[in-house]
Amino acid sequence: MSVKIIVCGACGKMGGNVLSLLEGDNEAVAVCGVDLYQKEIGVPVYTSFAEVKEQADVIIDFSSPIGLKERLEYAKNNGLGIVLAATGFTADDLAMVQEYSKSVAIFKTANLSLGVNLMQALCKAAAEVLGEAYDVEIIERHHNLKKDAPSGTALMLADTINEAFDNQKRYVNGRDGIVGAREKSEIGIHAIRGGTIVGEHEVMFAGEDEIITITHSARSKRVFAVGAIRAAKFLQAKEAGMYEMKHLLAEEN
């Protein structure tokens, strides 16, 4: 039986990628979309979840943090799982997500790309091996329309690396002026915005006389849509709780 999906942000670029992929998917189907800006996309589109008539199993949310509570409340009241693929959540938003996870199956990761999640594991292993002898700097590059900085993925990588240092490192977002010599307690994070860059992340471990870099470059937004659909299939019939890519990969393997 196909997983029935509501696509939130259906009329946007990422929503379009999800709908395009679902057209050829034998295991999942889009039953409708929700989007403030409506256009013809091949399935019914509503401006709010209150208007939705179709039965569904999972919401894929590629919209924005605005209206997050409505989506979570709808998922709770209708027994749906939800894949939170938007970015730019505040601390209050994340606290609300955590609270709703007591009654809703929620899949949330800073990046739905399989490659980025492999990069995350490699960075943690590198940090554990290299230790304090290497300075860590993270550079992320995105298109000129991205609103949040640094990216959620850059922060996810920083958090993962910081685990190897018992979370004792502090994050320095860019540097300006006479900042003095770099401290060992720093993880530098730098955001670049320009053109149509889909998403690039580079983690540099700089030691004495050598540099090790781990990089990932997304060449198309479709990689994130693929990950979102995989997450939706994984989330179907899951019990309430917080899930992320490591849970999906563990189940698949």
Side-chain angles (χ1 to χ4, degrees):
M1 183 180 294
S2 292
V3 181
K4 298 176 181 178
I5 297 172
I6 298 173
V7 182
C8 187
C11 298
K13 291 181 180 179
M14 285 310 309
N17 277 299
V18 171
L19 291 168
S20 176
L21 288 167
L22 286 174
E23 286 179 3
D25 197 309
N26 296 321
E27 300 176 343
V29 61
V31 294
C32 69
V34 176
D35 202 304
L36 291 175
Y37 307 98
Q38 300 202 333
K39 66 180 181 181
E40 180 61 44
I41 58 172
V43 297
V45 184
Y46 306 101
T47 57
S48 73
F49 278 90
E51 303 171 41
V52 174
K53 305 176 182 66
E54 288 74 12
Q55 296 293 313
D57 303 304
V58 182
I59 299 166
I60 291 180
D61 177 24
F62 266 114
S63 56
S64 76
I66 298 172
L68 175 63
K69 184 176 177 62
E70 179 197 24
R71 302 192 284 276
L72 292 170
E73 192 67 19
Y74 184 87
K76 175 182 176 180
N77 293 338
N78 292 275
L80 278 63
I82 182 168
V83 179
L84 292 177
T87 60
F89 293 109
T90 66
D92 287 343
D93 290 334
L94 295 176
M96 179 168 59
V97 169
Q98 194 66 45
E99 183 63 27
Y100 269 92
S101 71
K102 297 175 182 177
S103 52
V104 178
I106 300 175
F107 190 104
K108 186 184 182 309
T109 180
N111 195 301
L112 286 157
S113 158
L114 177 62
V116 164
N117 284 272
L118 173 59
M119 179 185 186
Q120 182 182 14
L122 292 173
C123 286
K124 184 172 185 180
E128 289 171 345
V129 171
L130 301 173
E132 293 288 356
Y134 287 71
D135 298 323
V136 182
E137 297 284 311
I138 300 172
I139 303 98
E140 56 99 343
R141 305 172 182 88
H142 285 86
H143 53 87
N144 56 22
L145 297 178
K146 186 171 177 60
K147 296 180 175 64
D148 56 311
S151 69
T153 300
L155 292 172
M156 176 183 77
L157 293 170
D159 289 344
T160 298
I161 293 165
N162 207 4
E163 289 175 8
F165 299 100
D166 297 322
N167 296 311
Q168 296 301 304
K169 298 287 187 180
R170 65 183 183 90
Y171 303 162
V172 178
N173 295 318
R175 297 184 178 87
D176 181 60
I178 308 301
V179 296
R182 187 190 193 283
E183 298 178 4
K184 280 293 180 184
S185 60
E186 296 178 7
I187 293 180
I189 307 177
H190 312 276
I192 294 170
R193 298 289 177 266
T196 58
I197 302 170
V198 174
E200 298 179 358
H201 293 85
E202 174 183 336
V203 178
M204 178 178 68
F205 295 87
E208 186 172 350
D209 298 328
E210 67 176 356
I211 297 173
I212 299 165
T213 58
I214 302 173
T215 64
H216 177 271
S217 177
R219 302 306 173 90
S220 165
K221 291 180 180 291
R222 287 175 70 87
V223 297
F224 309 124
V226 169
I229 293 170
R230 288 174 66 187
K233 294 175 182 177
F234 162 84
L235 211 55
Q236 185 189 29
K238 284 287 188 294
E239 296 181 354
M242 289 294 299
Y243 300 91
E244 54 184 298
M245 192 61 76
K246 67 180 180 182
H247 300 119
L248 183 156
L249 296 175
E251 183 169 289
E252 288 187 351
N253 297 311

